[in-house]
Amino acid sequence: MKKTQRKSNHAIASEWNNIAKFRHQQITKENDLSYNYVLIPSILSLIKNEFNSKKNLNILDAGCGTGNLAYQLSKRENSCITGIDISEESIKIAKETYGNSRNISFYSSSIENFSDNIVNKFKYDLIVSNMTLMDVSNLDNVVKSISSMLKDEGVFVFSITHPVFWSRYWEYENSNWFNYLEEIFIEAPFKTSLDNSEFITSHIHRPLEMYFHSLRNNNLRVTDLIEPMPEREIEEKYPKSWEFPRFMVVKCIK
Ligand SMILES: C[S@@+](CC[C@H](N)C(=O)[O-])C[C@H]1O[C@@H](n2cnc3c(N)ncnc32)[C@H](O)[C@@H]1O
């Protein structure tokens, strides 16, 4: 693991292209405990009210990867789901796997370009984004784009690695290059609790205030925030017990 220079969208897309097939298998075979048992249930819990309403919902999954969450959301009647991701390979897999569902469309695009090019400035009722904001090169541009694609009173729910605890979990908080208050691009082989890999991906450490300021500056008001922990029987499947929250899931209203 090492600190690197800022990376471009192009460089980030290429990392996720390389790992797309591996990630798809991890998720669909339920080898990613946190994805299946902590993150997605937390996102679903924060959109429960919107989901249980009878309203037609246009939903965007921003940074949808290989499309699994978009597919889960498509099971709600009266929903129209769009999944976008900068990784062409991820979108190719998403289309092959879930593209036949009548109410899902997938596009390969950065969030920033998608919002610039969206037809007739179409706006969404709900935008979700699982584990993407800590992987985007320019947080402010992405949050601005997300806000611009939401209707007034629209809802944005996202999960990220926990800004305070992730450095402890990945054991770099005492590295001489780490400073909590700085934005730091970090490159490492991708791993989950049950799987190591040789695929290099980058994540960006950002202090909590950076997320908060970006949301506030783009008219997104935080209305809920959870630091989910796994149920006990799920925690037992992890090699290491959870001493602190590893993720943060946030709900905002425009
Ligand atoms: C950790 S993965 C999460 C993928 C998916 N949400 C999931 O839960 O499996 C981060 C994703 O963000 C995408 N990404 C990074 N920067 C992006 C950007 N500017 N616009 C759209 N997608 C981006 C990457 O291609 C990658 O698929």
Side-chain angles (χ1 to χ4, degrees):
M1 171 170 355
K2 59 177 193 199
K3 173 178 174 177
T4 65
Q5 302 292 326
R6 170 174 288 279
K7 293 202 178 187
S8 64
N9 269 356
H10 181 72
I12 287 174
S14 138
E15 293 178 348
W16 289 100
N17 280 339
N18 293 339
I19 199 175
K21 201 166 163 200
F22 177 77
R23 279 301 288 152
H24 178 59
Q25 282 168 359
Q26 269 186 331
I27 289 171
T28 49
K29 294 194 171 138
E30 303 207 352
N31 277 344
D32 185 339
L33 293 174
S34 298
Y35 180 92
N36 290 294
Y37 298 107
V38 180
L39 291 163
I40 299 304
S42 300
I43 290 188
L44 296 178
S45 80
L46 287 191
I47 60 174
K48 201 170 60 204
N49 287 348
E50 291 71 24
F51 238 55
N52 291 342
S53 77
K54 294 264 178 305
K55 264 182 69 184
N56 280 337
L57 290 180
N58 281 303
I59 305 176
L60 177 70
D61 184 352
C64 66
T66 51
N68 179 270
L69 172 60
Y71 173 65
Q72 295 197 41
L73 299 176
S74 75
K75 292 180 186 161
R76 178 188 186 270
E77 282 189 14
N78 304 330
S79 299
C80 195
I81 322 288
T82 308
I84 57 165
D85 199 284
I86 200 168
S87 154
E88 284 175 19
E89 285 302 318
S90 301
I91 291 297
K92 196 167 149 225
I93 293 173
K95 283 182 176 166
E96 279 164 12
T97 318
Y98 308 115
N100 285 337
S101 302
R102 64 177 168 87
N103 54 346
I104 307 191
S105 321
F106 290 107
Y107 301 97
S108 169
S109 167
S110 71
I111 296 165
E112 302 91 307
N113 284 347
F114 191 77
S115 73
D116 286 347
N117 297 330
I118 204 163
V119 179
N120 296 332
K121 294 283 158 213
F122 183 84
K123 299 214 188 244
Y124 291 90
D125 302 286
L126 172 62
I127 301 184
V128 295
S129 187
N130 183 52
M131 297 293 278
T132 293
L133 291 191
M134 74 289 166
D135 288 351
V136 300
S137 177
N138 189 317
L139 181 68
D140 266 337
N141 285 354
V142 166
V143 173
K144 187 169 168 213
S145 300
I146 286 177
S147 180
S148 77
M149 292 188 281
L150 262 187
K151 289 182 184 165
D152 288 344
E153 302 299 318
V155 169
F156 173 43
V157 172
F158 66 92
S159 63
I160 49 173
T161 49
H162 199 299
V164 176
F165 291 114
W166 194 253
S167 58
R168 187 175 309 172
Y169 175 50
W170 269 39
E171 297 176 343
Y172 58 76
E173 69 177 347
N174 294 322
S175 299
N176 56 8
W177 49 261
F178 181 68
N179 175 351
Y180 175 79
L181 289 172
E182 279 176 12
E183 180 176 69
I184 307 174
F185 282 62
I186 299 162
E187 195 180 83
F190 185 89
K191 65 175 183 201
T192 62
S193 298
L194 300 182
D195 253 344
N196 286 325
S197 84
E198 287 171 5
F199 297 103
I200 299 293
T201 59
S202 302
H203 75 276
I204 298 110
H205 164 80
R206 297 179 172 110
L208 187 51
E209 67 174 21
M210 206 174 271
Y211 286 99
F212 184 79
H213 291 160
S214 207
L215 295 170
R216 185 200 56 197
N217 295 345
N218 289 294
N219 301 320
L220 294 166
R221 197 163 27 95
V222 174
T223 58
D224 207 347
L225 186 156
I226 53 179
E227 297 171 298
M229 299 291 281
E231 305 276 341
R232 180 171 307 170
E233 66 273 22
I234 297 297
E235 190 181 354
E236 283 165 3
K237 298 183 187 207
Y238 282 84
K240 237 168 127 181
S241 65
W242 282 48
E243 288 159 23
F244 41 75
R246 297 178 186 174
F247 306 103
M248 186 177 277
V249 189
V250 182
K251 178 171 186 172
C252 309
I253 300 197
K254 180 169 163 185

